[in-house]
Amino acid sequence: YVRAHASELGIDPGKIIVSGGSAGGHLAASTAMFDVDEDGDDLKVSPTPNALVLLFPVIDTSIEGYGNAKIGERWKELSPAHNVRPGLPPTITFHGTGDTTTPFKGAQLFHDAMLKAGNRSELVVNEGGAHGYLMRTQPLYDECLAKTDAFLKSLSLLP
């Protein structure tokens, strides 16, 4: 919808960046990884964003990750870490090693799979950082913004 209506929204359809934290990070990754075609969608318009910015995302829905009890046996269908393929958008992921909500292991698994598939992936690791760590102090938040800006500039998505 956003890309198809870019002119009326006043945005560049070639510079769509999707970001989210925690469950919103899962949703952001899902916009690039899972096909959802609704009736009336113009399938000639790509729904895939140009870049992803993920903040301590739900990225692994296996038993070792988050959400497995809610999803059940079909967890693999909705697990970004287990559905990486070539051609996914460049991604920067911020994650703390002390995250017990969305374990760091899933972020590392996703990052490694992205690289193996030939995709661009950056993993910004915060040693000991708990879930939501970068929202708790201004310096960490500012660092996240600066690294995100640098990442997006490297892709020519920001001036």
Coordinates of all heavy atoms in Angstrom, one line a residue, residues 25-115:
G25 N 9.5 -5.8 15.8 CA 10.6 -6.2 15.0 C 10.3 -7.5 14.2 O 10.7 -7.6 13.0
H26 N 9.5 -8.3 14.8 CA 9.0 -9.5 14.0 C 8.1 -9.1 12.9 O 8.2 -9.5 11.7 CB 8.2 -10.5 14.9 CG 7.7 -11.7 14.3 ND1 6.6 -11.8 13.6 CD2 8.3 -12.9 14.2 CE1 6.4 -13.0 13.1 NE2 7.5 -13.7 13.4
L27 N 7.2 -8.1 13.1 CA 6.3 -7.6 12.1 C 7.2 -6.9 11.0 O 6.9 -7.1 9.8 CB 5.3 -6.6 12.7 CG 4.3 -6.0 11.8 CD1 3.5 -7.1 11.1 CD2 3.4 -5.0 12.5
A28 N 8.2 -6.1 11.4 CA 9.0 -5.5 10.4 C 9.7 -6.5 9.5 O 9.7 -6.4 8.3 CB 10.1 -4.6 11.1
A29 N 10.3 -7.5 10.1 CA 11.0 -8.6 9.3 C 10.0 -9.3 8.5 O 10.3 -9.6 7.3 CB 11.7 -9.5 10.3
S30 N 8.8 -9.5 9.0 CA 7.8 -10.2 8.2 C 7.4 -9.5 6.9 O 7.1 -10.1 5.9 CB 6.6 -10.4 9.1 OG 6.9 -11.3 10.1
T31 N 7.5 -8.2 6.9 CA 7.2 -7.4 5.7 C 8.1 -7.8 4.5 O 7.7 -7.6 3.4 CB 7.2 -5.9 5.9 OG1 8.5 -5.5 6.2 CG2 6.2 -5.4 7.0
A32 N 9.3 -8.2 4.9 CA 10.3 -8.6 3.8 C 10.3 -10.1 3.6 O 10.7 -10.5 2.5 CB 11.6 -8.1 4.3
M33 N 9.8 -10.9 4.5 CA 10.1 -12.3 4.4 C 8.9 -13.2 4.1 O 9.1 -14.3 3.5 CB 10.7 -12.8 5.8 CG 11.9 -12.1 6.1 SD 12.7 -12.8 7.6 CE 13.5 -14.2 6.9
F34 N 7.7 -12.7 4.4 CA 6.5 -13.5 4.2 C 5.6 -12.9 3.2 O 5.2 -11.7 3.4 CB 5.8 -13.8 5.5 CG 6.8 -14.4 6.5 CD1 7.0 -13.7 7.7 CD2 7.4 -15.6 6.3 CE1 7.9 -14.3 8.7 CE2 8.3 -16.2 7.2 CZ 8.5 -15.5 8.4
D35 N 5.1 -13.6 2.2 CA 4.1 -13.1 1.2 C 2.7 -13.1 1.8 O 2.3 -14.2 2.3 CB 4.2 -13.9 0.0 CG 5.5 -13.8 -0.8 OD1 6.1 -12.7 -0.7 OD2 5.9 -14.7 -1.5
V36 N 2.1 -12.0 1.8 CA 0.7 -11.9 2.2 C 0.0 -11.1 1.1 O 0.2 -9.9 0.9 CB 0.5 -11.2 3.5 CG1 -1.0 -11.0 3.9 CG2 1.3 -11.9 4.6
D37 N -0.8 -11.8 0.3 CA -1.5 -11.2 -0.8 C -3.0 -11.1 -0.5 O -3.6 -12.1 -0.3 CB -1.3 -12.0 -2.1 CG 0.1 -12.0 -2.6 OD1 0.9 -11.1 -2.3 OD2 0.5 -13.1 -3.1
E38 N -3.4 -9.9 -0.4 CA -4.8 -9.6 -0.1 C -5.6 -9.4 -1.4 O -5.0 -8.9 -2.4 CB -5.0 -8.3 0.8 CG -4.3 -8.5 2.1 CD -5.0 -9.4 3.1 OE1 -6.3 -9.5 3.0 OE2 -4.4 -10.1 3.9
D39 N -6.8 -9.7 -1.4 CA -7.6 -9.4 -2.6 C -7.5 -7.9 -2.9 O -7.6 -7.0 -2.0 CB -9.1 -9.7 -2.4 CG -9.4 -11.2 -2.3 OD1 -8.5 -12.0 -2.8 OD2 -10.4 -11.6 -1.8
G40 N -7.3 -7.6 -4.2 CA -7.1 -6.2 -4.6 C -5.7 -5.7 -4.6 O -5.5 -4.6 -5.1
D41 N -4.8 -6.5 -4.1 CA -3.4 -6.0 -4.1 C -2.9 -6.0 -5.5 O -3.2 -6.9 -6.3 CB -2.5 -7.0 -3.3 CG -2.6 -6.7 -1.8 OD1 -3.2 -5.8 -1.4 OD2 -2.0 -7.6 -1.0
D42 N -2.1 -5.0 -5.9 CA -1.4 -4.9 -7.2 C -0.1 -5.7 -7.1 O 0.8 -5.2 -6.5 CB -1.2 -3.5 -7.6 CG -0.6 -3.3 -8.9 OD1 -0.2 -4.4 -9.5 OD2 -0.5 -2.2 -9.4
L43 N -0.1 -6.9 -7.6 CA 1.0 -7.8 -7.4 C 2.2 -7.3 -8.2 O 3.3 -7.9 -8.1 CB 0.7 -9.2 -7.7 CG -0.4 -9.8 -6.9 CD1 -0.7 -11.3 -7.3 CD2 -0.1 -9.7 -5.4
K44 N 2.1 -6.3 -9.1 CA 3.2 -5.7 -9.8 C 4.0 -4.8 -9.0 O 5.1 -4.4 -9.3 CB 2.7 -5.0 -11.1 CG 2.1 -6.0 -12.1 CD 1.5 -5.2 -13.3 CE 0.2 -4.7 -12.9 NZ -0.7 -4.1 -13.8
V45 N 3.5 -4.4 -7.8 CA 4.1 -3.5 -6.9 C 4.7 -4.3 -5.7 O 4.0 -4.9 -5.0 CB 3.2 -2.4 -6.3 CG1 3.9 -1.5 -5.4 CG2 2.5 -1.6 -7.5
S46 N 6.1 -4.2 -5.6 CA 6.7 -5.0 -4.6 C 6.4 -4.4 -3.2 O 6.5 -3.2 -2.9 CB 8.2 -4.9 -4.8 OG 8.9 -5.5 -3.7
P47 N 6.0 -5.3 -2.3 CA 5.8 -4.9 -0.9 C 7.0 -4.9 0.0 O 7.0 -4.6 1.1 CB 4.8 -6.0 -0.4 CG 5.2 -7.2 -1.1 CD 5.6 -6.7 -2.5
T48 N 8.2 -5.4 -0.6 CA 9.4 -5.6 0.1 C 10.1 -4.2 0.4 O 10.3 -3.5 -0.5 CB 10.4 -6.5 -0.6 OG1 9.7 -7.7 -0.9 CG2 11.6 -6.8 0.2
P49 N 10.4 -3.9 1.7 CA 11.0 -2.7 2.0 C 12.5 -2.6 1.4 O 13.0 -3.7 1.1 CB 11.0 -2.6 3.5 CG 10.9 -4.0 4.0 CD 10.1 -4.7 2.9
N50 N 13.0 -1.5 1.4 CA 14.4 -1.3 0.9 C 15.4 -1.6 2.0 O 16.6 -1.8 1.7 CB 14.6 0.1 0.4 CG 13.7 0.4 -0.8 OD1 12.6 0.8 -0.6 ND2 14.1 0.0 -2.0
A51 N 15.0 -1.5 3.3 CA 15.9 -1.8 4.4 C 15.1 -2.1 5.6 O 13.9 -1.7 5.7 CB 16.9 -0.7 4.7
L52 N 15.7 -2.8 6.6 CA 15.1 -3.1 7.8 C 16.0 -2.7 9.0 O 17.2 -2.8 8.9 CB 14.9 -4.7 8.0 CG 14.0 -5.4 7.0 CD1 14.0 -6.9 7.2 CD2 12.5 -4.9 7.2
V53 N 15.3 -2.1 10.0 CA 16.0 -1.7 11.2 C 15.3 -2.5 12.4 O 14.1 -2.1 12.7 CB 16.0 -0.2 11.5 CG1 16.7 0.1 12.8 CG2 16.6 0.5 10.3
L54 N 15.9 -3.5 12.9 CA 15.3 -4.3 13.9 C 15.9 -4.1 15.3 O 17.1 -4.1 15.5 CB 15.5 -5.8 13.5 CG 15.0 -6.2 12.1 CD1 15.3 -7.6 11.8 CD2 13.5 -5.8 11.9
L55 N 15.0 -3.9 16.3 CA 15.4 -3.6 17.6 C 15.0 -4.8 18.5 O 13.8 -5.0 18.7 CB 14.8 -2.3 18.1 CG 14.9 -1.1 17.2 CD1 14.1 0.0 17.6 CD2 16.3 -0.7 16.9
F56 N 15.9 -5.5 19.0 CA 15.7 -6.7 19.9 C 14.4 -7.4 19.5 O 13.5 -7.6 20.2 CB 15.6 -6.3 21.4 CG 14.9 -4.9 21.6 CD1 13.6 -4.8 21.8 CD2 15.7 -3.8 21.7 CE1 13.0 -3.6 22.0 CE2 15.1 -2.5 21.9 CZ 13.7 -2.5 22.1
P57 N 14.4 -7.9 18.2 CA 13.2 -8.4 17.6 C 12.9 -9.9 18.1 O 13.7 -10.6 18.5 CB 13.5 -8.4 16.1 CG 15.0 -8.7 16.0 CD 15.5 -7.9 17.2
V58 N 11.6 -10.2 17.9 CA 11.2 -11.6 18.0 C 11.6 -12.2 16.6 O 11.0 -11.9 15.6 CB 9.7 -11.8 18.2 CG1 9.2 -13.2 18.1 CG2 9.3 -11.2 19.6
I59 N 12.7 -12.9 16.6 CA 13.3 -13.3 15.3 C 13.4 -14.8 15.2 O 13.6 -15.3 14.1 CB 14.7 -12.6 15.1 CG1 15.1 -12.5 13.7 CG2 15.8 -13.2 16.0 CD1 14.5 -11.4 12.9
D60 N 13.3 -15.5 16.3 CA 13.4 -16.9 16.4 C 12.2 -17.4 17.2 O 12.1 -17.2 18.4 CB 14.7 -17.3 17.1 CG 14.8 -18.8 17.4 OD1 14.0 -19.6 16.9 OD2 15.7 -19.2 18.1
T61 N 11.3 -18.1 16.5 CA 10.1 -18.6 17.2 C 10.2 -20.1 17.6 O 9.2 -20.7 17.9 CB 8.8 -18.3 16.4 OG1 8.9 -19.0 15.1 CG2 8.6 -16.8 16.2
S62 N 11.4 -20.6 17.5 CA 11.6 -22.0 18.0 C 11.5 -22.1 19.5 O 11.3 -21.1 20.2 CB 13.0 -22.5 17.6 OG 14.0 -21.9 18.4
I63 N 11.6 -23.3 20.0 CA 11.5 -23.5 21.4 C 12.6 -22.7 22.2 O 12.4 -22.3 23.3 CB 11.6 -25.0 21.8 CG1 11.1 -25.3 23.2 CG2 12.9 -25.6 21.6 CD1 9.6 -25.2 23.4
E64 N 13.7 -22.4 21.5 CA 14.8 -21.6 22.1 C 14.6 -20.1 22.0 O 15.3 -19.4 22.6 CB 16.1 -22.0 21.5 CG 16.5 -23.5 21.8 CD 17.8 -23.9 21.1 OE1 18.3 -23.1 20.3 OE2 18.2 -25.0 21.4
G65 N 13.6 -19.7 21.3 CA 13.4 -18.3 21.0 C 12.2 -17.8 21.8 O 12.0 -18.1 23.0
Y66 N 11.3 -17.0 21.2 CA 10.1 -16.5 21.8 C 8.9 -16.8 21.0 O 8.9 -16.7 19.8 CB 10.3 -15.0 22.0 CG 9.0 -14.3 22.6 CD1 8.9 -14.3 23.9 CD2 8.0 -13.8 21.8 CE1 7.8 -13.7 24.5 CE2 6.9 -13.3 22.3 CZ 6.8 -13.2 23.7 OH 5.6 -12.7 24.3
G67 N 7.8 -17.1 21.7 CA 6.5 -17.3 21.0 C 6.1 -18.7 20.6 O 5.0 -18.9 20.2
N68 N 7.0 -19.6 20.9 CA 6.8 -21.0 20.5 C 5.5 -21.5 21.1 O 4.7 -22.2 20.4 CB 8.0 -21.9 20.8 CG 7.8 -23.2 20.2 OD1 7.3 -24.1 20.9 ND2 8.2 -23.4 18.9
A69 N 5.3 -21.3 22.4 CA 4.1 -21.8 23.0 C 2.8 -21.2 22.4 O 1.8 -21.9 22.4 CB 4.2 -21.5 24.5
K70 N 2.9 -20.0 21.9 CA 1.7 -19.4 21.3 C 1.5 -19.9 19.9 O 0.3 -20.1 19.4 CB 1.9 -17.9 21.3 CG 1.9 -17.3 22.6 CD 2.2 -15.8 22.6 CE 2.4 -15.3 24.0 NZ 2.7 -13.9 24.1
I71 N 2.6 -20.2 19.1 CA 2.5 -20.6 17.7 C 2.3 -22.1 17.6 O 1.5 -22.6 16.8 CB 3.7 -20.2 17.0 CG1 3.8 -18.6 17.0 CG2 3.7 -20.7 15.5 CD1 5.1 -18.1 16.4
G72 N 3.0 -22.9 18.4 CA 2.9 -24.3 18.4 C 3.7 -25.0 17.3 O 4.8 -24.5 16.9
E73 N 3.2 -26.1 16.8 CA 4.0 -26.9 15.8 C 4.3 -26.2 14.5 O 5.3 -26.6 13.9 CB 3.2 -28.2 15.5 CG 3.0 -29.1 16.7 CD 2.2 -30.4 16.3 OE1 2.0 -30.6 15.1 OE2 1.8 -31.0 17.3
R74 N 3.6 -25.2 14.2 CA 3.9 -24.5 12.9 C 4.8 -23.3 13.1 O 4.9 -22.4 12.2 CB 2.6 -24.0 12.3 CG 1.7 -25.2 11.9 CD 0.4 -24.8 11.3 NE 0.6 -24.1 10.1 CZ -0.4 -23.4 9.4 NH1 -1.7 -23.5 9.9 NH2 -0.2 -22.8 8.3
W75 N 5.6 -23.3 14.2 CA 6.5 -22.2 14.5 C 7.4 -21.8 13.4 O 7.7 -20.6 13.2 CB 7.2 -22.5 15.8 CG 8.2 -23.6 15.7 CD1 8.0 -24.9 16.0 CD2 9.5 -23.5 15.2 NE1 9.1 -25.6 15.7 CE2 10.1 -24.8 15.2 CE3 10.4 -22.5 14.7 CZ2 11.4 -25.1 14.8 CZ3 11.6 -22.8 14.3 CH2 12.2 -24.1 14.3
K76 N 7.9 -22.8 12.7 CA 8.9 -22.5 11.7 C 8.4 -21.6 10.5 O 9.2 -20.9 9.9 CB 9.5 -23.9 11.1 CG 10.8 -23.7 10.4 CD 11.4 -25.1 10.1 CE 12.8 -24.9 9.5 NZ 13.4 -26.2 9.3
E77 N 7.1 -21.7 10.2 CA 6.5 -20.9 9.2 C 6.7 -19.4 9.5 O 6.7 -18.6 8.6 CB 5.1 -21.2 9.0 CG 4.8 -22.6 8.5 CD 3.3 -23.0 8.5 OE1 2.5 -22.1 8.1 OE2 3.0 -24.1 8.9
L78 N 6.7 -19.1 10.8 CA 6.7 -17.6 11.2 C 8.0 -17.2 11.8 O 8.1 -16.1 12.4 CB 5.5 -17.4 12.2 CG 4.2 -17.6 11.6 CD1 3.1 -17.4 12.7 CD2 3.9 -16.6 10.4
S79 N 9.0 -18.0 11.7 CA 10.3 -17.7 12.3 C 11.3 -17.0 11.3 O 11.8 -17.7 10.5 CB 10.9 -18.9 12.9 OG 12.2 -18.6 13.6
P80 N 11.5 -15.7 11.4 CA 12.4 -15.1 10.5 C 13.8 -15.8 10.4 O 14.3 -15.9 9.3 CB 12.5 -13.7 10.9 CG 11.1 -13.4 11.6 CD 10.8 -14.7 12.3
A81 N 14.3 -16.2 11.5 CA 15.6 -16.8 11.6 C 15.7 -18.1 10.8 O 16.8 -18.5 10.3 CB 16.1 -17.0 13.0
H82 N 14.6 -18.7 10.6 CA 14.5 -20.0 9.9 C 13.9 -19.9 8.5 O 13.7 -20.9 7.9 CB 13.7 -21.0 10.7 CG 14.3 -21.3 12.1 ND1 14.1 -20.5 13.2 CD2 15.2 -22.2 12.4 CE1 14.8 -21.0 14.2 NE2 15.4 -22.0 13.8
N83 N 13.8 -18.7 8.0 CA 13.2 -18.4 6.7 C 14.1 -17.5 5.9 O 13.6 -16.9 4.9 CB 11.8 -17.9 6.8 CG 10.8 -19.0 7.1 OD1 10.5 -19.8 6.3 ND2 10.4 -19.1 8.4
V84 N 15.3 -17.3 6.2 CA 16.2 -16.4 5.5 C 16.5 -17.0 4.1 O 16.7 -18.2 4.0 CB 17.5 -16.2 6.3 CG1 18.5 -15.4 5.4 CG2 17.2 -15.5 7.6
R85 N 16.5 -16.2 3.1 CA 16.8 -16.6 1.7 C 17.6 -15.4 1.1 O 17.6 -14.3 1.5 CB 15.5 -16.9 1.0 CG 14.6 -15.7 0.8 CD 13.3 -16.0 0.1 NE 12.5 -14.8 -0.1 CZ 11.8 -14.2 0.8 NH1 11.7 -14.7 2.1 NH2 11.1 -13.1 0.5
P86 N 18.2 -15.7 0.0 CA 18.9 -14.6 -0.8 C 17.9 -13.6 -1.2 O 16.7 -13.9 -1.5 CB 19.5 -15.3 -2.0 CG 19.6 -16.8 -1.6 CD 18.4 -17.0 -0.7
G87 N 18.4 -12.3 -1.3 CA 17.5 -11.3 -1.8 C 16.8 -10.5 -0.8 O 15.9 -9.6 -1.2
L88 N 17.0 -10.8 0.5 CA 16.3 -10.0 1.5 C 16.9 -8.6 1.6 O 18.1 -8.4 1.3 CB 16.3 -10.7 2.8 CG 15.5 -12.0 2.9 CD1 15.6 -12.7 4.2 CD2 14.0 -11.7 2.6
P89 N 16.2 -7.6 2.1 CA 16.7 -6.3 2.2 C 17.9 -6.2 3.2 O 17.9 -7.0 4.2 CB 15.6 -5.4 2.6 CG 14.4 -6.3 2.9 CD 14.8 -7.7 2.5
P90 N 18.8 -5.2 3.0 CA 19.8 -5.0 4.0 C 19.1 -4.7 5.4 O 18.1 -4.0 5.5 CB 20.5 -3.7 3.5 CG 20.2 -3.6 2.0 CD 18.8 -4.3 1.9
T91 N 19.8 -5.3 6.4 CA 19.2 -5.3 7.7 C 20.2 -4.9 8.8 O 21.3 -5.4 8.8 CB 18.6 -6.6 8.1 OG1 17.6 -7.0 7.1 CG2 17.9 -6.6 9.4
I92 N 19.9 -4.0 9.7 CA 20.7 -3.8 10.9 C 19.8 -4.2 12.1 O 18.6 -3.8 12.2 CB 21.2 -2.3 11.0 CG1 22.1 -2.1 12.2 CG2 20.0 -1.3 11.0 CD1 22.9 -0.8 12.2
T93 N 20.4 -5.0 13.0 CA 19.7 -5.5 14.1 C 20.5 -5.1 15.4 O 21.7 -5.3 15.5 CB 19.6 -7.1 14.1 OG1 19.0 -7.5 12.8 CG2 18.9 -7.6 15.2
F94 N 19.8 -4.5 16.3 CA 20.3 -4.2 17.6 C 19.8 -5.2 18.7 O 18.6 -5.4 18.8 CB 19.8 -2.7 18.0 CG 20.4 -1.7 17.1 CD1 19.8 -1.4 15.9 CD2 21.5 -1.0 17.5 CE1 20.3 -0.4 15.1 CE2 22.0 0.0 16.7 CZ 21.4 0.3 15.4
H95 N 20.7 -5.8 19.4 CA 20.3 -6.8 20.4 C 21.2 -6.9 21.5 O 22.4 -6.8 21.3 CB 20.2 -8.2 19.7 CG 19.0 -9.0 20.2 ND1 17.9 -9.2 19.5 CD2 18.9 -9.7 21.3 CE1 17.1 -10.0 20.2 NE2 17.7 -10.3 21.3
G96 N 20.7 -7.2 22.7 CA 21.5 -7.3 23.9 C 21.8 -8.8 24.2 O 20.9 -9.6 24.1
T97 N 23.0 -9.1 24.7 CA 23.3 -10.5 25.0 C 22.6 -10.9 26.3 O 22.5 -12.1 26.5 CB 24.8 -10.7 25.2 OG1 25.3 -9.8 26.3 CG2 25.6 -10.3 23.9
G98 N 22.1 -10.0 27.1 CA 21.4 -10.4 28.3 C 19.9 -10.4 28.1 O 19.1 -10.5 29.1
D99 N 19.4 -10.4 26.9 CA 17.9 -10.4 26.7 C 17.4 -11.8 26.9 O 17.7 -12.8 26.3 CB 17.7 -10.0 25.2 CG 16.3 -9.7 24.9 OD1 15.4 -10.3 25.5 OD2 16.0 -8.9 24.0
T100 N 16.5 -11.9 27.9 CA 15.9 -13.2 28.3 C 14.5 -13.3 27.7 O 13.8 -14.3 27.8 CB 15.8 -13.4 29.8 OG1 15.1 -12.3 30.4 CG2 17.2 -13.5 30.4
T101 N 14.0 -12.2 27.1 CA 12.7 -12.2 26.5 C 12.8 -12.7 25.1 O 12.1 -13.7 24.7 CB 12.0 -10.8 26.5 OG1 12.0 -10.3 27.8 CG2 10.6 -10.8 25.9
T102 N 13.6 -12.1 24.3 CA 13.9 -12.6 22.9 C 15.4 -12.9 22.9 O 16.2 -12.0 22.7 CB 13.6 -11.5 21.8 OG1 14.3 -10.3 22.1 CG2 12.1 -11.2 21.8
P103 N 15.8 -14.1 23.2 CA 17.2 -14.4 23.4 C 18.1 -14.0 22.3 O 17.8 -14.2 21.1 CB 17.2 -16.0 23.6 CG 15.8 -16.3 24.1 CD 14.9 -15.3 23.4
F104 N 19.3 -13.6 22.7 CA 20.3 -13.1 21.7 C 20.7 -14.2 20.7 O 21.0 -13.9 19.6 CB 21.6 -12.7 22.5 CG 22.7 -12.2 21.6 CD1 22.6 -11.0 21.0 CD2 23.7 -13.1 21.3 CE1 23.6 -10.6 20.1 CE2 24.7 -12.7 20.4 CZ 24.7 -11.5 19.8
K105 N 20.6 -15.4 21.1 CA 21.0 -16.5 20.2 C 20.2 -16.4 18.9 O 20.7 -16.7 17.8 CB 20.7 -17.9 20.9 CG 21.1 -19.1 20.1 CD 20.8 -20.4 20.9 CE 21.2 -21.6 20.0 NZ 20.9 -22.8 20.7
G106 N 18.9 -16.0 19.0 CA 18.1 -15.9 17.8 C 18.6 -14.8 16.8 O 18.6 -15.0 15.6
A107 N 19.0 -13.7 17.4 CA 19.6 -12.6 16.6 C 20.9 -13.0 15.9 O 21.1 -12.7 14.7 CB 19.8 -11.4 17.5
Q108 N 21.7 -13.8 16.6 CA 22.9 -14.2 16.0 C 22.6 -15.3 14.9 O 23.2 -15.2 13.8 CB 23.8 -14.9 17.1 CG 25.2 -15.3 16.6 CD 26.1 -14.1 16.3 OE1 26.3 -13.3 17.1 NE2 26.5 -13.9 15.0
L109 N 21.7 -16.1 15.1 CA 21.2 -17.1 14.1 C 20.7 -16.4 12.9 O 21.1 -16.8 11.8 CB 20.2 -18.0 14.7 CG 19.6 -19.1 13.8 CD1 20.6 -20.2 13.6 CD2 18.3 -19.7 14.5
F110 N 19.9 -15.4 13.1 CA 19.4 -14.6 11.9 C 20.5 -13.9 11.2 O 20.6 -14.0 9.9 CB 18.4 -13.6 12.4 CG 17.8 -12.7 11.4 CD1 16.8 -13.2 10.5 CD2 18.2 -11.4 11.3 CE1 16.3 -12.4 9.5 CE2 17.7 -10.6 10.3 CZ 16.8 -11.0 9.4
H111 N 21.4 -13.3 11.9 CA 22.5 -12.5 11.3 C 23.4 -13.5 10.5 O 23.7 -13.2 9.3 CB 23.3 -11.8 12.4 CG 24.6 -11.2 11.9 ND1 24.6 -10.1 11.0 CD2 25.9 -11.5 12.1 CE1 25.8 -9.8 10.8 NE2 26.6 -10.6 11.5
D112 N 23.7 -14.6 11.1 CA 24.6 -15.6 10.4 C 23.9 -16.1 9.1 O 24.5 -16.3 8.1 CB 25.0 -16.8 11.3 CG 25.9 -16.3 12.4 OD1 26.5 -15.2 12.4 OD2 26.0 -17.1 13.4
A113 N 22.6 -16.4 9.2 CA 21.8 -16.9 8.1 C 21.8 -15.9 7.0 O 21.8 -16.2 5.8 CB 20.4 -17.4 8.5
M114 N 21.6 -14.6 7.3 CA 21.6 -13.5 6.4 C 22.9 -13.5 5.6 O 22.9 -13.4 4.4 CB 21.3 -12.2 7.0 CG 19.8 -12.0 7.5 SD 18.7 -11.7 6.2 CE 19.1 -10.0 5.8
L115 N 24.0 -13.5 6.3 CA 25.3 -13.5 5.6 C 25.5 -14.7 4.7 O 26.0 -14.5 3.6 CB 26.4 -13.3 6.7 CG 26.4 -12.1 7.5 CD1 27.5 -12.1 8.6 CD2 26.5 -10.8 6.7

